[in-house]
Amino acid sequence: MTSSVSKGCFVFKSASKKRKRHIGVGGYLVDDSDENGCDRFTICQKLWETVQMNTEVIQDQLNKKVLDSLAEFIKKPGLACSSDVWRQRGSEIPTAALMLGVNVPDHAMTFRSLCNLLQDSVTPFVVSVHAKECAAVKLLIQKVLEQLMGRGVSVDEEQEDDTALLQKTQCTISALCQWYKTVTKERRRQENKCTQVSPKRKENLAKNDLPVVVIFKDFEAFNSQVLQDFILICSRYTQELPFVFIFGIATSPSAIQHRLPHSVSSLLCIEVFHSLSCTQHLASVFDKLILNSQFPFKLSSRVIQVLVGIFLYHDFSVQNFVKGLQFSMLEHFNSQPLSVLCCQKHEALLSAKILSKQNVERIRHLPSFMRYVETQEPQEQVRLLTNDEHVKEVCQKLLKNLHTYHKNYYPILQCLHSLTSSLPKFPLGKHIRELHVSCIEKNLWETEEYDSALQLLRILAKDELVAALRSCAEILKSANTKRMQNVLQQLEDFLGRLEALQGVSSEDSSGNGVVSAKMEYQRTDLFQLQKTLLEKESRRTKRMNPFEVLRSQVIDFIDSLVREYLTPAEFQPLNEVCYYSSSGVLRQRLNVTPRTSIQAALTHPFYYLKNESLKTNTGTISSAAPDLCIVYKLHLECGRLINLYDWLEAYVTVMSAAEDQDTNSEECGKFDSLKHARFIQAVSEMEFLGFVKSTKQKTDHVARLTWGVVILTERRWQLHRNWPVYGYLHCLL
Amino acid sequence: MKIHLCLTGIKTIILDCNNISQYSVFLINSALMNRRDIMSAVNPDQYSYPSVFIYGHRATGKSHVVLSIMKDLELPHASVDCVECVSSGLLFHQVLSAFFGPDAAALLPRCPSLSDFVRLYKQMSSNSPATQTRYIILDRAERMRDMDFSLLPALLRLQELVNDNVTVILLSEIVWEKFRPNTGCFEPLLFHFPDYSKGKSLVQILSWDHHPSYTPELYASYINILLGVFFSVCRDLRELRHLAVLNFSKFCEPLEKGEAKESDIHKLWKNIEPHLQRAMQTVYLREVSSVQWEQQQMDEKEATTLRVLSAHAHIELPYYSKFLLIAAYLASFNPARTDRRFFLKSHGKIRKTNFLKKHEKTSNHLLGPKPFPLDRLMAIFYSVVDSRVAPTASIFSQISSLVTLQLLSQVGHDDQLDSPKYKCSVSLDFILAISRCVCVCVRLLDLLALSLVIQSQVVRQERSLFTAVSNLHLL
């Protein structure tokens, strides 16, 4: 979201930049150990480019509707304004309230495409302002003028001097008005020159002045006084300057009413536009990038859970989700040397042929490959373990298998989702990503949810079943492997039979479906008897009609499909090549905990400093540790208010305990000025880190803080505040 | 002082207006004053009163009257809207360029002070001495109080300073008493523009807008109906005119269809009255934009209910943000003393008597949200959220983004670094809606219910309180 601690902690951002900067310098990436770092880097980059392209395409597609309607809205008011002279409404400024949702990081992209769209198709006069830059009306107006006039100047050079002068002297909307008049005059003259338009058309043009669009990117963050003043000023000029406002609103339209009083909001003519919800957006990104056999890089279930968890629990930001994907890609290609094989099929096969000796050895050590070897014949096992060439061949075969696995996996997954997504209570999840996660995690058919879903499917009504199967067939049509075509054939066969049932539905309902009840009376205990009787009862009441028989056949068929194709990826040999699975690293990097790491550093300095002398048992305070750590540990033992003198004494005791145990106790009680100074410095560092703060309740005490650390880490650096050493000197000296 | 007498004599100004639009006829009060009187009022040969202060509610015709006089009599004047003047320099610039042309204004230094302005004005006016009184009209003069403190007193006696025949006219919506600086100043002439009365002036003025294709009488009766609905909530002439124009087509509908004649006032009233009531709830509050309103009138048959602005109150928030907001709400509206009771498992026995202090028994909703430190928010958050949450940076960034979204507000600026304080600025309904979609855990709902119980006056019915508490115990 906006300015926040987390932004500063996203390690991958700078990492990606660094990589990009070093595109030419392949050598930078090469470790001594692996020689194909460059290859992996190029593969990774290529993949990242496709990711970027795809996400942009998705965003454009999804936003198209709302952006188009916005552009329509902006084109319209030019006519409405001049329609009736006696109308008051002319002075209302047309305003679009664009609902964008709370995922603020994603807005930038939307606004960029909105700006481009407007500039291309509606008007060149588009200004977008950010609340941060506009703390006062003056700054806001300046911003608007700068953007507008700067752009206008670049169009025709003759006027450059004039506008520059204007800008220097005064920064008001009236100046903008003058500029606008000259520019439009110029435009019209040029247009007339270019095309001899009919007088009627000319009139039309004159009326249809190009609107000046001002986009307020983050409406909520604007100071409401600034906004009010700006709107008041602009409304004075609506006759000459056709303003159109766009408010980018993250919360709800009522924010407008909360921010603006009636006298100001009555100057606006507000219409609400809804952009798509972020969950929809995520779903389409997910479909395109993760549930796609064309995209070779895969995520394991845990990683998906981490990424989706960050999205759902923390920020709702698709942008950050994609960044997370990028990070896991970088991490995968960096840490897994075998990721050279993680590319399109033919390239993967090619590079499998020329695997280096090291990499062959690495393949042998892959858990999935080892599992594969174990299933082979002993002779084959020996060959696999000794013959490199043979491993390469097998590797090619396995890669092919992996690709076909993916090609079959996704259509079946989609089919299963389309079948189960309409079931009550969504036993297998509402979204396909949930189904996907549970599929690649474990054997789906062993879960209870799957059982209950199948049970629900078994009681589906006929028309529902047919509709669901139809949609499955649609999905399978797009899949182009042989096996899928086979499946499609079978499915269509079932559909045909279901359809044929229509005529003969009820006639021979008693006929073929009856299961002959053969009872073998053995020794009877009561429980057994009860059970068999119950079974008998249920069988008798449920005579299956042909539809039911067929239905159970269909469901069995689907069950068999699931068992065949939706096996967990883990069981596929060589899955480590494509699947990135270290969710722990990802969580550590993307969902940082500054507080815990600071505390870890202070309680266990060895963790970061790697100095042998710092290794201590928990609970003891070593004098070898940095002063700050000692002071920190001592402060943990205190209450809310800490007496500085007591603290100092405790500190000196710890220090002197190590130094001179043999010296007499007289000196022990005293402390020299060096220790004193070190203590003061450590305490001020504590305050700097936000663990304590001075308090007015007692003069020689400091108060402990619980959550100060996190807030401080960012803010302190921003303010460049001096270390507050002096605050303590007067207490102690 | 002739001018003084004349100006105080102005109770009403009607300009006969052959050359101006119909709107420039303005009625202010009952008495009349014709053009000749004003002419004598602004006698160019004499020095006029240095400053005039005109006040009255919005849309009572202050600036319109003044500007019409200026225009009508072709007096030299500079009209400045103080909202636009983000610095006093802009004000000087506009005044100088209006009186002496833009070249004179260009002579102003980069950040002109008052003395620069006075010097330049003197210089210019000595070159072109005033043949008539010059008028500086400052609209929305209340903004001047935020500018340089010496500006207002200086402008009030600008005539003395520049030694020129100049009058400063201040227009404002608030009374002069709120302007007077501590150090005292020259007292301007005060004029009050009273509100338009319903019976006469409003109807008369609004009737000027009558549609060319209908008779003025019909329009007047329409205006009467309109005022009957809106007068109780709105006396703003501008707004009323806007509403009148918006709804007139609907009023004329039966006439066009031939269902009624112009004389069937009652029938027309029956037709328009519910429509106007609806307009009062929507267009007037700008819940629905006027364009949408017009469109709706066009295709009335569909009877689509327009979604008003405040209807989309729901906000999708990330999971933990919801909990943070709930925690913030609880922290804001529950007394801190009660936290131990609500959020600790072993809070000890509840004493029946004086559990809440007397002042706490008044509804907290009436008192509004109270500020709370971050520590408390986090403590409540951790006891409210049902799973274990690491204190990650994203949790804290969510707090700051809630602040930028104005769902929380940060209070106090002195101790921002060490212990920032927040207030929850969302309503109970909002929180209930959120907790309803979050609440898998019943405990939270109970907590909310409990805090509700405490907040309302129901506290005295201690039984319900105790059942709520015992529910809490069970969980």
Side-chain angles (χ1 to χ4, degrees), chain A residues 621-623 625-634 651 654-655:
Chain A
I621 303 173
S622 145
S623 60
D627 295 337
L628 184 59
C629 298
I630 299 172
V631 169
Y632 172 76
K633 279 187 181 170
L634 288 171
Y651 171 77
V654 171
M655 292 304 285

Side-chain angles (χ1 to χ4, degrees), chain A residues 562-580:
Chain A
V562 168
R563 281 166 201 265
E564 190 178 350
Y565 295 110
L566 295 189
T567 49
E570 258 177 67
F571 299 150
Q572 298 299 317
L574 291 189
N575 71 75
E576 288 90 341
V577 167
C578 303
Y579 280 81
Y580 175 70

Side-chain angles (χ1 to χ4, degrees), chain A residues 603-606 612-622 625 633:
Chain A
T603 44
H604 305 289
F606 175 74
E612 283 302 317
S613 65
L614 294 177
K615 266 188 175 172
T616 51
N617 305 326
T618 48
T620 60
I621 303 173
S622 145
K633 279 187 181 170

Side-chain angles (χ1 to χ4, degrees), chain A residues 92 206 238 488 672 726:
Chain A
E92 280 186 351
T238 40
L488 178 62
D672 53 52
Y726 308 108

Side-chain angles (χ1 to χ4, degrees), chain A residues 42-56:
Chain A
T42 44
I43 295 171
C44 176
Q45 239 193 347
K46 220 189 267 172
L47 279 182
W48 170 236
E49 271 160 22
T50 56
V51 169
Q52 242 177 343
M53 207 181 65
N54 278 329
T55 45
E56 268 168 35

Side-chain angles (χ1 to χ4, degrees), chain B residues 156-349:
Chain B
L156 285 173
R157 50 203 322 163
L158 189 68
Q159 200 175 70
E160 281 174 50
L161 286 172
V162 298
N163 218 349
D164 186 37
N165 188 2
V166 62
T167 294
V168 177
I169 301 176
L170 302 168
L171 305 175
S172 175
E173 284 177 27
I174 52 179
V175 292
W176 169 246
E177 279 69 31
K178 304 269 177 190
F179 277 76
R180 203 176 280 138
N182 292 333
T183 46
C185 65
F186 183 82
E187 289 289 318
L189 264 183
L190 302 186
F191 283 103
H192 181 224
F193 274 48
D195 284 354
Y196 297 116
S197 62
K198 179 187 175 186
K200 283 183 189 166
S201 15
L202 267 181
V203 175
Q204 261 175 296
I205 297 167
L206 286 168
S207 302
W208 277 104
D209 287 336
H210 76 87
H211 202 275
S213 48
Y214 296 97
T215 57
E217 288 77 33
L218 179 78
Y219 198 80
S221 60
Y222 166 63
I223 291 300
N224 268 321
I225 294 170
L226 184 90
L227 284 179
V229 176
F230 280 101
F231 190 72
S232 54
V233 291
C234 172
R235 292 166 195 210
D236 187 336
L237 177 66
R238 225 179 309 168
E239 198 66 15
L240 284 170
R241 268 176 69 196
H242 174 70
L243 289 165
V245 170
L246 272 183
N247 295 307
F248 187 61
S249 61
K250 177 78 183 170
F251 179 74
C252 296
E253 224 173 55
L255 295 176
E256 277 166 18
K257 284 179 187 165
E259 289 169 0
K261 279 180 220 149
E262 289 201 6
S263 52
D264 293 346
I265 294 299
H266 186 71
K267 202 168 184 183
L268 289 174
W269 177 77
K270 263 199 153 171
N271 175 45
I272 194 72
E273 217 265 350
H275 187 72
L276 288 179
Q277 290 287 358
R278 207 142 44 87
M280 187 159 76
Q281 284 155 17
T282 53
V283 195
Y284 170 63
L285 297 174
R286 293 303 190 281
E287 295 262 5
V288 169
S289 76
S290 33
V291 174
Q292 282 174 325
W293 183 252
E294 281 187 339
Q295 272 172 359
Q296 198 204 15
Q297 284 186 359
M298 301 261 196
D299 39 42
E300 186 73 41
K301 283 104 211 167
E302 295 169 28
T304 47
T305 44
L306 277 170
R307 290 203 61 180
V308 293
L309 277 187
S310 53
H312 334 245
H314 183 65
I315 302 174
E316 270 305 323
L317 285 173
Y319 191 67
Y320 289 139
S321 295
K322 286 178 185 168
F323 277 108
L324 280 170
L325 209 55
I326 291 169
Y329 184 83
L330 290 172
S332 229
F333 284 98
N334 281 346
R337 258 171 5 89
T338 58
D339 282 355
R340 175 186 283 269
R341 281 244 354 257
F342 292 157
F343 304 110
L344 233 58
K345 286 249 164 68
S346 55
H347 49 68
K349 217 177 172 193

